[in-house]
């Protein structure tokens, strides 16, 4: 799908509140359609696997889907695949410190433990959920017990959720969702690829909430892209449902958060096209974004978070 930047600018300038509301509604309607179908098959497929590349909006999509299902009377629990990462060895911690550890590798996931817990959950047996301490790179016990009851649903979201080598679980017992930015923004005959929209999301999020410089995020771009092509994209065909998480107004919201800083590092070829589009984008104050927007996952002040 394509959308002209001129179209985005016109709607942003004329009535930004209505544009935001209508765009959010399109995304909400898609998740609602999926929720309706999941409910129809919930007895056979109580486990929902949700995957997508970095910056795709997995967390918001999973938690919003949980909210929709809960509102329809179907108790739903959402788990993050990140909490099933293996604790790093001392050698791996050293590699991480020098930026030489493949953070996208499925080998980071404790597949055996994750699969065991999913089987217990499927059979309505209680499990103690893990939590990953990213500061110390170690998985610890949370003390939180999940005891799914018959008819309840569990969503597992993470980049490797559709990888059958990670989750050794019968396909017939799971529904599968793939989320990502699919829409391309057009400026004259120039295209802004979805991967660059996701990069803008990461630039904003990493800088605001992970204390990471724009240069550091850009240095990781090739590695992240390679990881996605190697570990995530090959399995998106397994999805039962697909969701385009592109928000038509989002580039306007990123303008004030990115433009001036990226101008200072404009010699970085990765951002040439991003800069060109931001220069021609109508401004939209981040404060105008409502808390139910998917892009709050990246700019903050959202209602969907763990």
């Amino acid at each position: 799908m394509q959308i002209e930047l001129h179209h985005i600018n016109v709607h942003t300038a004329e009535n930004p509140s209505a544009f935001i509301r209508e765009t959010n509604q399109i995304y909400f309607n898609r998740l609602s359609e999926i929720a309706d179908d999941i409910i129809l098959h919930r007895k056979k497929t109580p486990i929902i696997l949700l995957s997508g590349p970095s910056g795709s909006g997995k967390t918001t999509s999973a938690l919003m889907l949980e909210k929709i299902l809960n509102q329809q009377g179907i108790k739903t629990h959402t788990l993050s695949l990140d909490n099933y990462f293996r604790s790093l060895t001392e050698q791996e911690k050293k590699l991480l410190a020098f930026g030489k550890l493949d953070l996208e590798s499925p080998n980071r996931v404790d597949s055996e433990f994750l699969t065991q817990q999913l089987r217990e959950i499927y059979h309505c047996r209680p499990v103690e959920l893990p939590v990953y301490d990213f500061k110390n790179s170690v998985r610890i016990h949370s003390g939180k017990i999940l005891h799914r009851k018959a008819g309840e649903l569990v969503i597992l979201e993470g980049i490797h959720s559709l990888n059958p080598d990670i989750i050794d679980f019968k396909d017939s017992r799971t529904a599968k969702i793939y989320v990502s930015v699919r829409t391309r923004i057009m400026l004259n005959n120039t295209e802004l690829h979805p991967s660059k929209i996701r990069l803008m999301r990461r630039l904003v999020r990493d800088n605001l909430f992970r204390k990471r410089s724009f240069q550091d995020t850009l240095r990781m771009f090739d590695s992240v892209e390679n990881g996605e092509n190697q570990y995530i994209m090959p399995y998106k065909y397994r999805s039962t449902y697909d969701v385009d998480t592109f928000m038509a107004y989002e580039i306007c919201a990123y303008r004030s958060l990115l433009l001036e800083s990226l101008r200072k590092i404009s010699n970085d070829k990765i951002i040439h096209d991003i800069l060109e589009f931001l220069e021609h984008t109508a401004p939209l104050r981040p404060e105008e974004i409502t808390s139910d927007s998917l892009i709050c996952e990246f700019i903050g002040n959202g209602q969907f978070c763990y």
Side-chain angles (χ1 to χ4, degrees), residues 33 57 110 136 180 191 248 250 256 263 279 288:
E33 291 173 359
D110 189 341
N136 297 301
S180 190
E191 171 188 285
E250 64 179 289
S256 64
R263 279 173 175 162
E279 295 281 5
E288 296 186 71

Side-chain angles (χ1 to χ4, degrees), residues 171-199:
D171 277 349
S172 60
R173 295 176 175 177
T174 64
K176 304 172 188 65
I177 304 173
Y178 184 82
V179 304
S180 190
V181 177
R182 306 297 290 272
T183 300
R184 290 162 164 76
I185 306 177
M186 303 300 298
L187 174 61
N188 300 322
N189 293 319
T190 306
E191 171 188 285
L192 188 65
H193 192 271
S195 64
K196 294 302 181 69
I197 297 169
R198 291 189 290 105
L199 174 57

Side-chain angles (χ1 to χ4, degrees), residues 48-110:
I48 303 161
L49 306 177
L50 189 149
S51 178
S54 177
S56 61
K58 293 182 294 297
T59 298
T60 297
S61 296
L63 294 175
M64 185 178 288
L65 180 60
E66 176 190 304
K67 181 179 180 179
I68 294 169
L69 290 165
N70 282 335
Q71 288 175 338
Q72 297 196 43
I74 310 299
K75 179 65 177 175
T76 304
H77 314 268
T78 300
L79 310 179
S80 172
L81 185 69
D82 291 358
N83 287 324
Y84 290 88
F85 285 166
R86 300 177 187 274
S87 299
L88 295 186
T89 64
E90 290 304 315
Q91 179 62 29
E92 287 171 330
K93 289 179 182 179
K94 291 178 182 178
L95 292 173
L96 178 63
F98 288 99
K100 295 183 178 181
L101 185 69
D102 185 357
L103 297 177
E104 308 299 314
S105 172
N107 292 330
R108 294 196 69 205
V109 180
D110 189 341

Side-chain angles (χ1 to χ4, degrees), residues 17 103 220 273:
S17 296
L103 297 177
M220 296 168 63
D273 50 355

